[in-house]
Amino acid sequence: MSQYIDFAVLWKVLLAGLLGGAGLVAVYALGLAALAAGRVYDTPDRGSGTSAARAAGTVVAVACFGLVLAGALLGLYVMLTK
Amino acid sequence: MDANTALLAVVVVTALAFDFTNGFHDTANAMATSIATGALPPRAAVALSAVLNFAGAFLSLKVAATIATGIVDSGAITLTVVFAGLVGGLAWNLVTWYFGIPSSSSHALIGGVAGATLIAVGASAVKGAAIVSKVLIPAVLAPVFAALVATAGAFLVHRITRGTPGAVRERGFRVGQLCSASLVSLAHGTNDAQKTMGVITLALVADHAIAPDAGTPFWVILACAVTIALGTYTGGWRVIRTLGKGLTEIGPPQGFAAEGSSAAIIFAATHFGLPLSTTHVTGGSVVGAGLGRRLAGERSEVRWGLAGRMVVAWLVTLPAAALVGAAAWKGADAIGGTGGAAVVFAVMLLLAGGLYLAARREPVTHANVNAEWTGRLVPVKEPVG
């Protein structure tokens, strides 16, 4: 079988896929959750709305989105320079 | 213009026609989920995808990959073989488009070339082991990998944003979905336009129009980029509908998880040199996103019957395109010369015209692509008014 399947490549693709495709996706979701957590919404019991919480939420969100952006750019780069 | 140059011209036109169907067949891969969730209006989505495909075609830093060379003996490749292979791929793309089945354009092309070689030279010229390792095994792995990653992604996304207000969630994931879908479009332009560039370059080399070690001429790159972008803009609405509405109901969180998974796997596979089909990856991702949502405890239905039909079509792609490729070679060879190729090309145009007219009787367009899925591709007509 191994003459047909390059296992060394397979697990790399799967690992990179999981890191980028599920990991970064989850980080983006974390960013959204953080962004929302610090803000006041019409719904009761959601978001305390204190300015400290807001700032903290925004910082976490920016960090998350930055990480996702960096990951996407890295992915694009490694694909093009294959 | 001598006979050989005329034949070369027919081959180039056929290759560009294939490139066009490659574009409209695969619009769905990048944009079906964004259209289904309303992240972008349908026509804006296909326009964005077209622009990114165009840009992607210019992006690659590597010489155009010659798709067929590893699959068949390079000595077996004549202009007629390349032509017949293209016809095989083209025919399969058109038929699957009519039935709204997402199927791999690269597999169709490989099947066509393999079939034409088989009948032109014989079984010895087709590299069976290469077909197994470069085509069949990746075809099984791609949807499985994609489904795994998308299931994990959709599960995490639903869990993490469970308490997030609906408005932020919807909007945030739509933006994310747009970005990830754009990456898939760009990757598609890079990988798929290159296949046609490779085929045209191959034909030019076979005809001694350029030296074997010469790079792809600029006009080839430009023509392929323009054609794949035009094809993408035409929007294969029938395929988009199957992928976006048929397989499972897609909301922004799953749409984002699906496109994120597709983009990551396509990038990784391209980087590590594993030839995965974008179509197989996207199909797996969409199913996986549906599964992940259910895993996270929300209602979600995957229509396994439709997914099964898609998998059957993927299995049939190679032999079916090979059959057409073989028939096209036989036909062109029996009539002979440029005239033979021209006749086969005319038959191809008749098939395309017939399918186009048949599709117009029950059209799927940007206007009804998102209609409720009622178990069939073409939406039930709503009363006007």
Side-chain angles (χ1 to χ4, degrees), chain A residues 1 3-6 8-37 39 41 43 46 68 71-82, chain B residues 59-62 129 132-133 137 141 145 148-149 152-154 156-157 160-165 168-169 171-173 175-176 183 186-187 190-191 194 256-257 260-261 264-274 276:
Chain A
M1 258 331 240
Q3 73 180 101
Y4 294 125
I5 306 183
D6 191 348
V9 164
L10 281 192
W11 76 262
K12 279 184 199 156
V13 171
L14 188 58
L15 187 69
L18 279 170
L19 280 178
L24 286 181
V25 160
V27 172
Y28 184 86
L30 272 178
L32 282 186
L35 196 65
R39 288 167 202 228
Y41 286 94
T43 43
R46 289 269 161 77
V68 173
L73 289 177
L74 178 70
L76 200 59
Y77 177 76
V78 298
M79 180 189 71
L80 291 175
T81 53
K82 60 183 172 174
Chain B
L59 264 185
S60 183
L61 308 174
K62 203 184 157 196
V132 172
S133 66
I137 289 175
L141 290 176
F145 275 21
L148 264 172
V149 172
L156 289 171
V157 157
I160 290 168
T161 61
R162 184 168 277 172
T164 308
V168 179
R169 202 171 179 231
R171 224 178 132 223
F173 284 127
V175 172
L183 291 177
L186 207 61
T190 305
N191 290 331
Q194 228 183 66
F256 173 59
S261 153
I265 292 183
I266 293 165
F267 283 14
T270 310
H271 176 68
F272 291 114
L274 190 68
L276 298 188

Side-chain angles (χ1 to χ4, degrees), chain A residues 82, chain B residues 15-16 18-19 22 26 29 56-57 60 62-69 82 86 103-110 113 134 187-203 216 220 224-225 228 266 270 274-279:
Chain A
K82 60 183 172 174
Chain B
L16 290 177
F18 174 81
D19 198 30
N22 195 167
D26 291 359
N29 291 337
S60 183
K62 203 184 157 196
V63 248
T66 41
I67 187 165
T69 41
V82 174
L86 283 166
S103 98
S104 164
S105 297
S106 352
H107 278 204
L109 180 59
I110 291 173
V113 171
K134 287 188 178 176
H188 186 267
T190 305
N191 290 331
D192 281 47
Q194 228 183 66
K195 283 170 195 153
T196 310
M197 292 176 204
V199 168
I200 295 181
T201 309
L202 197 68
T216 310
V220 175
C224 289
I228 204 165
I266 293 165
T270 310
L274 190 68
L276 298 188
S277 156
T278 314
T279 308

